[in-house]
Amino acid sequence: MKLTNFIDGNWQEIGEVEYTAVLNPANGEQLAEVRMSTKDDVDLAVAAAVNAQKKWALVPAPKRADYLYEIGRLMKEKKEHLAQVLTKEMGKVIEEGRGEVQEGIDMAYYMAGEGRRLFGETTPSELADKFAMSVRAPIGVVGLITPWNFPVAIATWKSFPAIVAGNTFIWKPATETPMMAYEMAKIFDEAGLPAGVANIVFGSGSEVGTALIEHQDVKVISFTGSTETGRKVAELGGRHLKKVSLEMGGKNAVIVMEDADLSLAVEGILWSAFGTAGQRCTACSRVIVHKDVKKDLEKMLLEQMENLTIGDGLDESVKIGPVINKQALEKIHSYTKVGQEEGAKLLVGGNVLNEGDLEKGYYYAPTLFTDVTPTMRIAQEEIFGPVVSLIEVSSLEEAIEVNNGVKFGLSSSIFSNDVNKIFRAQRDLDTGIVYVNAGTTGAEIHLPFGGTKGTGNGHRDSGVAALDVYTEWKSIYVDFSGKLQRAQIDTE
């Protein structure tokens, strides 16, 4: 199967370009070929989006929302098919695949509800016979650049608020996971979304992503990916005076205090660290544990890690699937070597799995380090794989200091039964998301998603806050006095 661009309601190509293989990371089998588009493809998509947006912005928001309700219904109807495709091209276990599709369904219905809200504000004027209000207005054409680890959920976080707010968009999915974008394009079409509202252009970040950012008619760029790439997106977008929304890396920690329920903490750590094979921006890669319970926690983690089944995510019994590709495998393994060189003690894992049924895929053993100090590279840098570091502390204050002592600020967690510790942690943890007695992952779509410091630039995906990315505030003054009234001057 060859995947071509979806532009102006049609599957389109321009000229002769290269195609690249889409591989199943569980077994290396080729699933499809995807077009490596050029700037010409981007220009065509932007022209279609510009033309469609003029009409789309005039459609009443509740009517725009009706399309999202239908998209959500179709996603629900096709949920198992979408989850199967997702697992094949990305590798996460099928249970997680179903959960990710459900997140997209939830976002469709939630943002559809905003079609009857999109609230502005009315406020008293300081002058007589004058009315003042603010409203949300669409911005125009939006460029969406999404990663491979959540190829449906993150795309819906971005595209659905853009749609309901009256914008049109061009979506550049990750080259590793284009099949989910292809499936979503078919759903957009089946739902009757007007041509040009949703456009999908496949290709590399350097070619398609750059062309989107530089195009004068693309007013907003929403990017999720690495901090390194996000910094480049911000620099290029800034030169073109675009609104740029960034959601980037994380170095998330679970804090386990001496009074914590250790069994619950172990469950939270395992799910947060090894779900999606650690390939989440919210993955737990640090466990900051009080010295009084460190040995017990260490022992319990090792016991439970022995029960983690690894293999093809389509097997319902498997708990951990492959990482995305060979490059990821090599990067993860290089950090294991770094940790050992730094003096951390490797308790389990630290090796590529390539025997038997795992021979043709990209699998890495769940890895646990102990005796890690806060300044080690494995405690500071995002590994994006199933690798966890145990860091010992002697107080809540020290735990918070260690948690905050990284350049990222996405997600954090504390396990404790002391309400005073919990509330101090909620206040002092410098992350955009804080969990109490739960792991570092599991965001719900009606709350803002994003982080501080090197994780983002102040914008948020999900929740009502996402609308701030895709709308402009417009202040409107209506003077019905029949005479000129000057604010701050004619006050008597």
Side-chain angles (χ1 to χ4, degrees):
M1 178 171 64
K2 281 195 172 184
L3 305 180
T4 62
N5 297 329
F6 184 73
I7 298 173
D8 206 20
N10 298 296
W11 301 101
Q12 297 189 9
E13 296 185 60
I14 299 178
E16 295 295 324
V17 298
E18 293 183 358
Y19 281 75
T20 191
V22 181
L23 303 179
N24 183 335
N27 54 33
E29 292 181 359
Q30 181 169 316
L31 300 170
E33 289 182 295
V34 62
R35 179 180 175 85
M36 299 303 288
S37 300
T38 67
K39 180 179 180 296
D40 290 340
D41 296 284
V42 173
D43 290 343
L44 185 65
V46 174
V50 168
N51 183 58
Q53 200 273 330
K54 297 173 184 177
K55 297 177 181 178
W56 184 240
L58 298 178
V59 175
K63 297 297 183 183
R64 298 195 295 257
D66 286 344
Y67 290 98
L68 287 182
Y69 282 122
E70 180 62 8
I71 289 168
R73 186 193 70 78
L74 289 169
M75 290 183 71
K76 188 174 183 179
E77 180 182 284
K78 303 171 189 292
K79 180 178 177 178
E80 185 60 25
H81 170 70
L82 294 172
Q84 294 272 337
V85 173
L86 195 161
T87 290
K88 286 178 183 177
E89 73 167 349
M90 188 270 151
K92 66 179 60 177
V93 299
I94 188 64
E95 180 182 41
E96 292 185 57
R98 294 180 185 122
E100 180 175 345
V101 176
Q102 185 61 49
E103 193 164 356
I105 295 167
D106 294 344
M107 181 57 76
Y109 289 137
Y110 177 78
M111 277 299 161
E114 289 303 310
R116 290 191 178 272
R117 290 185 286 267
L118 286 178
F119 294 141
E121 293 181 329
T122 61
T123 182
S125 171
E126 66 186 49
L127 298 171
D129 297 327
K130 187 176 180 181
F131 180 79
M133 64 179 174
S134 62
V135 297
R136 290 187 183 272
I139 299 178
V141 176
V142 175
L144 309 177
I145 303 173
T146 60
W148 48 261
N149 61 332
F150 283 85
V152 172
I154 292 176
T156 64
W157 291 357
K158 298 176 186 299
S159 62
F160 292 174
I163 286 171
V164 80
N167 305 286
T168 56
F169 65 88
I170 297 96
W171 170 19
K172 192 211 85 65
T175 304
E176 295 87 350
T177 53
M179 294 175 67
M180 292 313 303
Y182 170 77
E183 295 291 337
M184 288 304 298
K186 292 194 293 183
I187 287 174
F188 292 149
D189 191 42
E190 187 175 348
L193 198 65
V197 173
N199 305 275
I200 297 172
V201 179
F202 298 112
S204 68
S206 59
E207 182 77 18
V208 174
T210 299
L212 269 178
I213 299 167
E214 291 184 332
H215 202 294
Q216 63 179 2
D217 290 328
V218 177
K219 306 301 182 184
V220 180
I221 294 292
S222 181
F223 167 86
T224 296
S226 71
T227 299
E228 180 183 1
T229 303
R231 186 174 289 112
K232 295 176 182 176
V233 171
E235 291 172 356
L236 186 57
R239 288 203 295 270
H240 292 272
L241 296 179
K242 295 185 188 297
K243 179 186 282 190
V244 177
S245 171
L246 304 174
E247 199 287 295
M248 302 179 290
K251 191 64 180 175
N252 314 290
V254 169
I255 295 172
V256 182
M257 298 309 299
E258 71 274 23
D259 61 331
D261 179 334
L262 293 188
S263 295
L264 181 60
V266 167
E267 284 189 63
I269 293 165
L270 293 177
W271 168 242
S272 299
F274 304 125
T276 322
Q279 300 171 116
R280 298 170 174 149
C281 53
T282 56
C284 165
S285 60
R286 298 181 295 158
V287 174
I288 303 169
V289 56
H290 194 279
K291 63 181 182 180
D292 291 351
V293 293
K294 178 177 180 286
K295 289 297 181 184
D296 290 338
L297 183 73
E298 207 172 85
K299 179 182 177 182
M300 294 171 70
L301 279 171
L302 287 171
E303 289 173 351
Q304 291 301 312
M305 286 175 68
E306 290 180 0
N307 300 323
L308 295 174
T309 51
I310 302 165
D312 190 327
L314 291 176
D315 183 340
E316 299 277 359
S317 68
V318 165
K319 297 300 181 185
I320 302 178
V323 299
I324 190 66
N325 54 31
K326 183 181 179 181
Q327 292 76 18
L329 204 60
E330 292 172 348
K331 177 188 173 185
I332 295 164
H333 192 53
S334 72
Y335 272 103
T336 292
K337 295 177 182 177
V338 167
Q340 291 174 308
E341 290 169 358
E342 290 181 312
K345 181 180 179 182
L346 179 62
L347 292 177
V348 68
N351 58 289
V352 175
L353 301 173
N354 53 14
E355 296 181 357
D357 293 339
L358 309 184
E359 179 183 4
K360 295 181 179 179
Y362 309 113
Y363 297 92
Y364 202 79
T367 299
L368 183 64
F369 279 101
T370 191
D371 298 340
V372 177
T373 62
T375 57
M376 287 181 179
R377 284 182 61 194
I378 60 170
Q380 288 287 322
E381 299 175 13
E382 186 175 40
I383 299 172
F384 223 64
V387 180
V388 181
S389 297
L390 290 178
I391 303 171
E392 181 181 306
V393 294
S394 57
S395 67
L396 174 64
E397 291 71 24
E398 185 183 359
I400 292 171
E401 182 179 356
V402 170
N403 180 90
N404 294 348
V406 294
K407 65 181 180 181
F408 303 103
L410 180 53
S411 180
S412 57
S413 158
I414 180 168
F415 283 84
S416 174
N417 288 315
D418 185 328
V419 67
N420 294 325
K421 291 177 182 174
I422 288 169
F423 271 85
R424 278 197 288 273
Q426 289 175 201
R427 180 193 65 193
D428 296 339
L429 291 170
D430 186 10
T431 53
I433 306 168
V434 175
Y435 291 90
V436 176
N437 291 326
T440 57
T441 192
E444 299 183 32
I445 56 90
H446 49 287
L447 273 72
F449 183 94
T452 62
K453 299 186 288 189
T455 291
N457 64 341
H459 295 290
R460 293 292 185 268
D461 287 325
S462 279
V464 176
L467 293 170
D468 291 334
V469 176
Y470 305 105
T471 56
E472 294 281 14
W473 282 109
K474 181 183 292 186
S475 297
I476 300 172
Y477 301 94
V478 180
D479 195 318
F480 52 96
S481 66
K483 60 184 179 181
L484 177 64
Q485 298 191 95
R486 299 171 298 173
Q488 292 92 42
I489 295 175
D490 299 326
T491 57
E492 299 298 327

